[in-house]
Amino acid sequence: MTKFLILRFSSIGDIILTTPVVRCLKKQYPDAEVHFVTKKSYKTLVENNPYIDKYFLLEDSLNDLIKHLKLEQYDYVIDLHNNLRTRIIKLRLGVKSYSFDKINFQKWLLVKFKKNIMPKVHIVDRNLKTIEHLGIQNDNQGLDYFIPEKDVLPADWLPENFRNTYAVYAIGGQHETKKLPLNKMIELCKTIQLPLVLIGGKEDSEQAEKLIAAFGNEGNKLILNTCGKCNLNQSASLIKEATIVYTHDTGMMHVAAAFKKKVISIWGNTVPEFGMYPYQTNFVSLEVKHLACRPCSKIGYNKCPLGHFKCMNEMKFESLK
């Protein structure tokens, strides 16, 4: 029996973007075992995936993790993270490995000099290219996200006037420069005619309340704050039943793509040209193009390095009306 080990430690979006590799491996090598390693904090993204036979979680000790992995006697390691720790794992396991090409030089050129020689290929297809020598082909089924039954929110969880149709706005983001400031969030929400469900973590709840307060005198504006009240799977459940999803460049954008939702993706300091736009779903990208400073990072910052934050402050929403 062939045994595959897939490595991807973080984060939400990046792990979701590996799901076609997991599925295609399992379906095209049905007698093989597919194992996955990630950080403990991302357990929920792998524990419910039926295409993963076994998963391992990185906690405090890389050495302890490697000891457990050695016992499995893998045939192949598929490294979709390609950092120092995954290189140590590959070296210590000493088996045939395939590693994702991070094309860091091309990304550096785009960030540093705004010279775009990035391949016009989605990162999912680049992930799959990592294992093309195994004969794996893209089944074009898109991304996967599996919600356990215990986290599927019942229809009556939402207020009655949200139950027929609603939009979701994922207001969070790992970095401030990926998120609209409050005044621009208000502008965006004015264009949304459907009842609106706000999703995010506990850290987003205060911003959500400020957003709702801005519409306090508009009795016909239905907005529900679920930030910090739902776990990741429950937020995914809300996305799954939504009519449309508005989202910054975050993991929730990829959750929405997994459920084939129409996505309005909002781009600040990052750009779709990095290859991480919504995969195989209907989407619209909102961005302020032709700024000389953009992209300023492939990840993000806590504040705009130049202080003006034009990539979000100059965002226009007329096309959504």
Side-chain angles (χ1 to χ4, degrees), residues 276-312:
M276 298 180 72
Y277 46 88
Y279 187 65
Q280 292 192 355
T281 196
N282 181 13
F283 74 95
V284 174
S285 291
L286 295 181
E287 54 184 323
V288 180
K289 295 186 176 182
H290 311 304
L291 286 177
C293 56
R294 183 173 174 265
C296 62
S297 166
K298 63 181 180 180
I299 301 173
Y301 295 106
N302 288 329
K303 62 181 181 179
C304 172
L306 299 180
H308 54 61
F309 204 21
K310 287 183 178 181
C311 60
M312 287 301 197

mmCIF file of all heavy atoms in Angstrom, residues 276-312:
data_model
loop_
_atom_site.group_PDB
_atom_site.id
_atom_site.type_symbol
_atom_site.label_atom_id
_atom_site.label_comp_id
_atom_site.label_asym_id
_atom_site.label_seq_id
_atom_site.Cartn_x
_atom_site.Cartn_y
_atom_site.Cartn_z
ATOM 1 N N MET A 276 -4.193 33.821 -5.833
ATOM 2 C CA MET A 276 -5.002 33.277 -4.750
ATOM 3 C C MET A 276 -6.408 33.878 -4.733
ATOM 4 O O MET A 276 -7.008 34.050 -3.672
ATOM 5 C CB MET A 276 -4.295 33.489 -3.409
ATOM 6 C CG MET A 276 -2.956 32.778 -3.346
ATOM 7 S SD MET A 276 -2.081 32.988 -1.791
ATOM 8 C CE MET A 276 -3.076 31.989 -0.697
ATOM 9 N N TYR A 277 -6.920 34.176 -5.904
ATOM 10 C CA TYR A 277 -8.299 34.670 -6.034
ATOM 11 C C TYR A 277 -9.271 33.493 -5.878
ATOM 12 O O TYR A 277 -8.853 32.322 -5.864
ATOM 13 C CB TYR A 277 -8.472 35.355 -7.393
ATOM 14 C CG TYR A 277 -7.902 34.578 -8.559
ATOM 15 C CD1 TYR A 277 -8.658 33.627 -9.226
ATOM 16 C CD2 TYR A 277 -6.583 34.780 -8.978
ATOM 17 C CE1 TYR A 277 -8.133 32.893 -10.286
ATOM 18 C CE2 TYR A 277 -6.042 34.045 -10.033
ATOM 19 C CZ TYR A 277 -6.828 33.110 -10.683
ATOM 20 O OH TYR A 277 -6.307 32.376 -11.710
ATOM 21 N N PRO A 278 -10.581 33.758 -5.744
ATOM 22 C CA PRO A 278 -11.555 32.666 -5.572
ATOM 23 C C PRO A 278 -11.462 31.656 -6.718
ATOM 24 O O PRO A 278 -11.462 32.035 -7.891
ATOM 25 C CB PRO A 278 -12.904 33.391 -5.563
ATOM 26 C CG PRO A 278 -12.572 34.765 -5.073
ATOM 27 C CD PRO A 278 -11.228 35.082 -5.653
ATOM 28 N N TYR A 279 -11.387 30.385 -6.355
ATOM 29 C CA TYR A 279 -11.108 29.324 -7.319
ATOM 30 C C TYR A 279 -12.393 28.658 -7.807
ATOM 31 O O TYR A 279 -13.217 28.210 -7.009
ATOM 32 C CB TYR A 279 -10.200 28.278 -6.684
ATOM 33 C CG TYR A 279 -9.689 27.207 -7.632
ATOM 34 C CD1 TYR A 279 -8.833 27.538 -8.679
ATOM 35 C CD2 TYR A 279 -10.050 25.876 -7.474
ATOM 36 C CE1 TYR A 279 -8.344 26.567 -9.546
ATOM 37 C CE2 TYR A 279 -9.566 24.892 -8.330
ATOM 38 C CZ TYR A 279 -8.717 25.242 -9.362
ATOM 39 O OH TYR A 279 -8.241 24.276 -10.217
ATOM 40 N N GLN A 280 -12.539 28.637 -9.124
ATOM 41 C CA GLN A 280 -13.635 27.923 -9.792
ATOM 42 C C GLN A 280 -14.999 28.273 -9.209
ATOM 43 O O GLN A 280 -15.822 27.402 -8.894
ATOM 44 C CB GLN A 280 -13.388 26.411 -9.757
ATOM 45 C CG GLN A 280 -12.207 25.990 -10.608
ATOM 46 C CD GLN A 280 -12.111 24.497 -10.833
ATOM 47 O OE1 GLN A 280 -12.867 23.706 -10.280
ATOM 48 N NE2 GLN A 280 -11.169 24.081 -11.671
ATOM 49 N N THR A 281 -15.221 29.576 -9.063
ATOM 50 C CA THR A 281 -16.537 30.071 -8.667
ATOM 51 C C THR A 281 -16.724 31.443 -9.295
ATOM 52 O O THR A 281 -15.769 32.060 -9.766
ATOM 53 C CB THR A 281 -16.676 30.129 -7.141
ATOM 54 O OG1 THR A 281 -18.057 30.259 -6.797
ATOM 55 C CG2 THR A 281 -15.903 31.293 -6.541
ATOM 56 N N ASN A 282 -17.963 31.908 -9.310
ATOM 57 C CA ASN A 282 -18.279 33.215 -9.876
ATOM 58 C C ASN A 282 -17.833 34.305 -8.906
ATOM 59 O O ASN A 282 -18.267 34.317 -7.754
ATOM 60 C CB ASN A 282 -19.799 33.287 -10.115
ATOM 61 C CG ASN A 282 -20.233 34.599 -10.736
ATOM 62 O OD1 ASN A 282 -19.406 35.374 -11.215
ATOM 63 N ND2 ASN A 282 -21.527 34.865 -10.702
ATOM 64 N N PHE A 283 -16.963 35.193 -9.340
ATOM 65 C CA PHE A 283 -16.496 36.225 -8.415
ATOM 66 C C PHE A 283 -16.239 37.542 -9.143
ATOM 67 O O PHE A 283 -16.039 37.596 -10.355
ATOM 68 C CB PHE A 283 -15.229 35.779 -7.685
ATOM 69 C CG PHE A 283 -13.970 35.780 -8.517
ATOM 70 C CD1 PHE A 283 -13.106 36.864 -8.502
ATOM 71 C CD2 PHE A 283 -13.654 34.689 -9.321
ATOM 72 C CE1 PHE A 283 -11.944 36.871 -9.270
ATOM 73 C CE2 PHE A 283 -12.493 34.681 -10.081
ATOM 74 C CZ PHE A 283 -11.637 35.769 -10.054
ATOM 75 N N VAL A 284 -16.265 38.614 -8.353
ATOM 76 C CA VAL A 284 -15.915 39.958 -8.801
ATOM 77 C C VAL A 284 -14.817 40.466 -7.883
ATOM 78 O O VAL A 284 -14.925 40.337 -6.657
ATOM 79 C CB VAL A 284 -17.130 40.905 -8.728
ATOM 80 C CG1 VAL A 284 -16.715 42.340 -9.047
ATOM 81 C CG2 VAL A 284 -18.237 40.442 -9.667
ATOM 82 N N SER A 285 -13.763 41.020 -8.453
ATOM 83 C CA SER A 285 -12.682 41.592 -7.646
ATOM 84 C C SER A 285 -12.844 43.099 -7.577
ATOM 85 O O SER A 285 -12.990 43.763 -8.608
ATOM 86 C CB SER A 285 -11.314 41.268 -8.258
ATOM 87 O OG SER A 285 -11.026 39.898 -8.139
ATOM 88 N N LEU A 286 -12.821 43.636 -6.357
ATOM 89 C CA LEU A 286 -12.824 45.076 -6.150
ATOM 90 C C LEU A 286 -11.427 45.492 -5.714
ATOM 91 O O LEU A 286 -10.898 44.975 -4.722
ATOM 92 C CB LEU A 286 -13.832 45.467 -5.070
ATOM 93 C CG LEU A 286 -15.313 45.221 -5.363
ATOM 94 C CD1 LEU A 286 -16.154 45.691 -4.183
ATOM 95 C CD2 LEU A 286 -15.745 45.922 -6.635
ATOM 96 N N GLU A 287 -10.817 46.404 -6.447
ATOM 97 C CA GLU A 287 -9.474 46.852 -6.105
ATOM 98 C C GLU A 287 -9.224 48.219 -6.721
ATOM 99 O O GLU A 287 -9.865 48.615 -7.699
ATOM 100 C CB GLU A 287 -8.421 45.847 -6.595
ATOM 101 C CG GLU A 287 -8.517 45.506 -8.064
ATOM 102 C CD GLU A 287 -7.515 44.439 -8.494
ATOM 103 O OE1 GLU A 287 -6.382 44.449 -7.978
ATOM 104 O OE2 GLU A 287 -7.856 43.618 -9.354
ATOM 105 N N VAL A 288 -8.314 48.959 -6.117
ATOM 106 C CA VAL A 288 -7.875 50.248 -6.657
ATOM 107 C C VAL A 288 -6.634 49.963 -7.486
ATOM 108 O O VAL A 288 -5.537 49.758 -6.948
ATOM 109 C CB VAL A 288 -7.570 51.253 -5.528
ATOM 110 C CG1 VAL A 288 -7.125 52.583 -6.134
ATOM 111 C CG2 VAL A 288 -8.798 51.444 -4.641
ATOM 112 N N LYS A 289 -6.816 49.931 -8.784
ATOM 113 C CA LYS A 289 -5.710 49.568 -9.672
ATOM 114 C C LYS A 289 -4.812 50.772 -9.956
ATOM 115 O O LYS A 289 -5.180 51.916 -9.731
ATOM 116 C CB LYS A 289 -6.256 48.988 -10.976
ATOM 117 C CG LYS A 289 -7.004 47.673 -10.778
ATOM 118 C CD LYS A 289 -7.401 47.056 -12.117
ATOM 119 C CE LYS A 289 -8.055 45.692 -11.905
ATOM 120 N NZ LYS A 289 -8.418 45.047 -13.185
ATOM 121 N N HIS A 290 -3.643 50.473 -10.458
ATOM 122 C CA HIS A 290 -2.684 51.476 -10.940
ATOM 123 C C HIS A 290 -2.101 52.351 -9.827
ATOM 124 O O HIS A 290 -1.610 53.450 -10.099
ATOM 125 C CB HIS A 290 -3.308 52.355 -12.022
ATOM 126 C CG HIS A 290 -3.999 51.575 -13.100
ATOM 127 N ND1 HIS A 290 -3.360 50.595 -13.835
ATOM 128 C CD2 HIS A 290 -5.289 51.591 -13.540
ATOM 129 C CE1 HIS A 290 -4.220 50.067 -14.689
ATOM 130 N NE2 HIS A 290 -5.389 50.637 -14.529
ATOM 131 N N LEU A 291 -2.164 51.883 -8.590
ATOM 132 C CA LEU A 291 -1.441 52.581 -7.532
ATOM 133 C C LEU A 291 0.031 52.181 -7.602
ATOM 134 O O LEU A 291 0.358 51.001 -7.655
ATOM 135 C CB LEU A 291 -1.999 52.217 -6.158
ATOM 136 C CG LEU A 291 -3.343 52.817 -5.748
ATOM 137 C CD1 LEU A 291 -3.758 52.268 -4.392
ATOM 138 C CD2 LEU A 291 -3.285 54.336 -5.699
ATOM 139 N N ALA A 292 0.912 53.152 -7.544
ATOM 140 C CA ALA A 292 2.352 52.872 -7.665
ATOM 141 C C ALA A 292 2.885 52.079 -6.473
ATOM 142 O O ALA A 292 3.937 51.449 -6.572
ATOM 143 C CB ALA A 292 3.124 54.187 -7.806
ATOM 144 N N CYS A 293 2.165 52.096 -5.360
ATOM 145 C CA CYS A 293 2.660 51.440 -4.142
ATOM 146 C C CYS A 293 2.098 50.029 -3.963
ATOM 147 O O CYS A 293 2.444 49.350 -2.990
ATOM 148 C CB CYS A 293 2.282 52.282 -2.927
ATOM 149 S SG CYS A 293 0.512 52.623 -2.797
ATOM 150 N N ARG A 294 1.272 49.576 -4.859
ATOM 151 C CA ARG A 294 0.556 48.313 -4.659
ATOM 152 C C ARG A 294 1.004 47.264 -5.671
ATOM 153 O O ARG A 294 1.119 47.580 -6.840
ATOM 154 C CB ARG A 294 -0.949 48.609 -4.799
ATOM 155 C CG ARG A 294 -1.864 47.447 -4.562
ATOM 156 C CD ARG A 294 -3.327 47.923 -4.555
ATOM 157 N NE ARG A 294 -4.191 46.767 -4.456
ATOM 158 C CZ ARG A 294 -4.731 46.158 -5.508
ATOM 159 N NH1 ARG A 294 -4.489 46.602 -6.736
ATOM 160 N NH2 ARG A 294 -5.493 45.101 -5.340
ATOM 161 N N PRO A 295 1.256 46.027 -5.212
ATOM 162 C CA PRO A 295 1.156 45.505 -3.844
ATOM 163 C C PRO A 295 2.373 45.916 -3.018
ATOM 164 O O PRO A 295 3.495 45.928 -3.518
ATOM 165 C CB PRO A 295 1.130 43.993 -4.052
ATOM 166 C CG PRO A 295 1.953 43.776 -5.289
ATOM 167 C CD PRO A 295 1.657 44.957 -6.180
ATOM 168 N N CYS A 296 2.124 46.210 -1.740
ATOM 169 C CA CYS A 296 3.244 46.579 -0.873
ATOM 170 C C CYS A 296 3.728 45.384 -0.068
ATOM 171 O O CYS A 296 4.757 45.458 0.599
ATOM 172 C CB CYS A 296 2.846 47.719 0.053
ATOM 173 S SG CYS A 296 1.505 47.335 1.188
ATOM 174 N N SER A 297 2.973 44.287 -0.120
ATOM 175 C CA SER A 297 3.354 43.082 0.609
ATOM 176 C C SER A 297 2.590 41.907 0.020
ATOM 177 O O SER A 297 1.493 42.077 -0.503
ATOM 178 C CB SER A 297 3.014 43.228 2.094
ATOM 179 O OG SER A 297 3.071 41.975 2.767
ATOM 180 N N LYS A 298 3.175 40.713 0.125
ATOM 181 C CA LYS A 298 2.440 39.519 -0.302
ATOM 182 C C LYS A 298 1.554 38.996 0.820
ATOM 183 O O LYS A 298 0.749 38.098 0.611
ATOM 184 C CB LYS A 298 3.406 38.423 -0.758
ATOM 185 C CG LYS A 298 4.343 37.907 0.329
ATOM 186 C CD LYS A 298 5.294 36.847 -0.210
ATOM 187 C CE LYS A 298 6.214 36.338 0.898
ATOM 188 N NZ LYS A 298 7.159 35.310 0.419
ATOM 189 N N ILE A 299 1.724 39.573 2.009
ATOM 190 C CA ILE A 299 0.938 39.134 3.167
ATOM 191 C C ILE A 299 0.107 40.293 3.701
ATOM 192 O O ILE A 299 -1.113 40.309 3.547
ATOM 193 C CB ILE A 299 1.853 38.571 4.281
ATOM 194 C CG1 ILE A 299 2.672 37.391 3.738
ATOM 195 C CG2 ILE A 299 1.021 38.116 5.472
ATOM 196 C CD1 ILE A 299 3.722 36.879 4.699
ATOM 197 N N GLY A 300 0.744 41.273 4.334
ATOM 198 C CA GLY A 300 0.000 42.404 4.870
ATOM 199 C C GLY A 300 0.731 43.060 6.022
ATOM 200 O O GLY A 300 1.750 42.562 6.515
ATOM 201 N N TYR A 301 0.200 44.212 6.461
ATOM 202 C CA TYR A 301 0.784 44.976 7.552
ATOM 203 C C TYR A 301 -0.303 45.353 8.558
ATOM 204 O O TYR A 301 -1.497 45.308 8.253
ATOM 205 C CB TYR A 301 1.421 46.266 7.030
ATOM 206 C CG TYR A 301 2.603 46.074 6.113
ATOM 207 C CD1 TYR A 301 2.484 46.301 4.742
ATOM 208 C CD2 TYR A 301 3.845 45.701 6.607
ATOM 209 C CE1 TYR A 301 3.569 46.148 3.894
ATOM 210 C CE2 TYR A 301 4.942 45.535 5.765
ATOM 211 C CZ TYR A 301 4.791 45.761 4.409
ATOM 212 O OH TYR A 301 5.863 45.598 3.578
ATOM 213 N N ASN A 302 0.130 45.812 9.734
ATOM 214 C CA ASN A 302 -0.822 46.310 10.720
ATOM 215 C C ASN A 302 -1.329 47.703 10.371
ATOM 216 O O ASN A 302 -2.381 48.125 10.850
ATOM 217 C CB ASN A 302 -0.190 46.330 12.122
ATOM 218 C CG ASN A 302 -0.013 44.920 12.678
ATOM 219 O OD1 ASN A 302 -0.800 44.028 12.376
ATOM 220 N ND2 ASN A 302 1.022 44.723 13.479
ATOM 221 N N LYS A 303 -0.571 48.416 9.534
ATOM 222 C CA LYS A 303 -1.032 49.713 9.034
ATOM 223 C C LYS A 303 -0.319 49.993 7.716
ATOM 224 O O LYS A 303 0.722 49.395 7.416
ATOM 225 C CB LYS A 303 -0.770 50.831 10.039
ATOM 226 C CG LYS A 303 0.685 51.062 10.375
ATOM 227 C CD LYS A 303 0.833 52.188 11.395
ATOM 228 C CE LYS A 303 2.309 52.438 11.709
ATOM 229 N NZ LYS A 303 2.481 53.539 12.685
ATOM 230 N N CYS A 304 -0.870 50.904 6.953
ATOM 231 C CA CYS A 304 -0.279 51.258 5.658
ATOM 232 C C CYS A 304 1.127 51.810 5.863
ATOM 233 O O CYS A 304 1.324 52.764 6.626
ATOM 234 C CB CYS A 304 -1.159 52.297 4.968
ATOM 235 S SG CYS A 304 -0.432 52.987 3.468
ATOM 236 N N PRO A 305 2.139 51.253 5.187
ATOM 237 C CA PRO A 305 3.519 51.730 5.359
ATOM 238 C C PRO A 305 3.710 53.191 4.959
ATOM 239 O O PRO A 305 4.593 53.865 5.470
ATOM 240 C CB PRO A 305 4.340 50.808 4.442
ATOM 241 C CG PRO A 305 3.480 49.611 4.218
ATOM 242 C CD PRO A 305 2.067 50.098 4.275
ATOM 243 N N LEU A 306 2.857 53.684 4.057
ATOM 244 C CA LEU A 306 2.984 55.064 3.591
ATOM 245 C C LEU A 306 2.011 56.013 4.288
ATOM 246 O O LEU A 306 2.060 57.229 4.076
ATOM 247 C CB LEU A 306 2.767 55.132 2.071
ATOM 248 C CG LEU A 306 3.767 54.337 1.230
ATOM 249 C CD1 LEU A 306 3.450 54.471 -0.255
ATOM 250 C CD2 LEU A 306 5.195 54.807 1.504
ATOM 251 N N GLY A 307 1.097 55.451 5.072
ATOM 252 C CA GLY A 307 0.207 56.283 5.862
ATOM 253 C C GLY A 307 -1.087 56.706 5.202
ATOM 254 O O GLY A 307 -2.032 57.114 5.879
ATOM 255 N N HIS A 308 -1.193 56.567 3.853
ATOM 256 C CA HIS A 308 -2.395 57.075 3.187
ATOM 257 C C HIS A 308 -3.472 56.002 2.972
ATOM 258 O O HIS A 308 -4.642 56.329 2.827
ATOM 259 C CB HIS A 308 -2.044 57.722 1.849
ATOM 260 C CG HIS A 308 -1.254 56.845 0.920
ATOM 261 N ND1 HIS A 308 -1.719 55.647 0.429
ATOM 262 C CD2 HIS A 308 -0.003 57.017 0.395
ATOM 263 C CE1 HIS A 308 -0.822 55.111 -0.366
ATOM 264 N NE2 HIS A 308 0.246 55.904 -0.396
ATOM 265 N N PHE A 309 -3.074 54.743 2.918
ATOM 266 C CA PHE A 309 -3.987 53.602 2.758
ATOM 267 C C PHE A 309 -4.932 53.790 1.558
ATOM 268 O O PHE A 309 -6.122 53.476 1.615
ATOM 269 C CB PHE A 309 -4.785 53.388 4.040
ATOM 270 C CG PHE A 309 -5.302 51.976 4.220
ATOM 271 C CD1 PHE A 309 -4.738 50.894 3.552
ATOM 272 C CD2 PHE A 309 -6.375 51.739 5.073
ATOM 273 C CE1 PHE A 309 -5.226 49.606 3.733
ATOM 274 C CE2 PHE A 309 -6.868 50.450 5.265
ATOM 275 C CZ PHE A 309 -6.290 49.384 4.595
ATOM 276 N N LYS A 310 -4.357 54.291 0.457
ATOM 277 C CA LYS A 310 -5.173 54.563 -0.727
ATOM 278 C C LYS A 310 -5.821 53.309 -1.300
ATOM 279 O O LYS A 310 -6.896 53.384 -1.903
ATOM 280 C CB LYS A 310 -4.317 55.234 -1.808
ATOM 281 C CG LYS A 310 -3.959 56.671 -1.515
ATOM 282 C CD LYS A 310 -3.172 57.289 -2.666
ATOM 283 C CE LYS A 310 -2.848 58.741 -2.404
ATOM 284 N NZ LYS A 310 -2.090 59.352 -3.534
ATOM 285 N N CYS A 311 -5.170 52.147 -1.129
ATOM 286 C CA CYS A 311 -5.703 50.925 -1.733
ATOM 287 C C CYS A 311 -7.079 50.575 -1.182
ATOM 288 O O CYS A 311 -7.860 49.885 -1.850
ATOM 289 C CB CYS A 311 -4.739 49.757 -1.550
ATOM 290 S SG CYS A 311 -4.379 49.336 0.165
ATOM 291 N N MET A 312 -7.401 51.038 0.018
ATOM 292 C CA MET A 312 -8.744 50.841 0.575
ATOM 293 C C MET A 312 -9.535 52.144 0.621
ATOM 294 O O MET A 312 -10.727 52.171 0.304
ATOM 295 C CB MET A 312 -8.649 50.248 1.986
ATOM 296 C CG MET A 312 -8.247 48.781 2.017
ATOM 297 S SD MET A 312 -9.403 47.696 1.098
ATOM 298 C CE MET A 312 -8.926 46.093 1.765
#
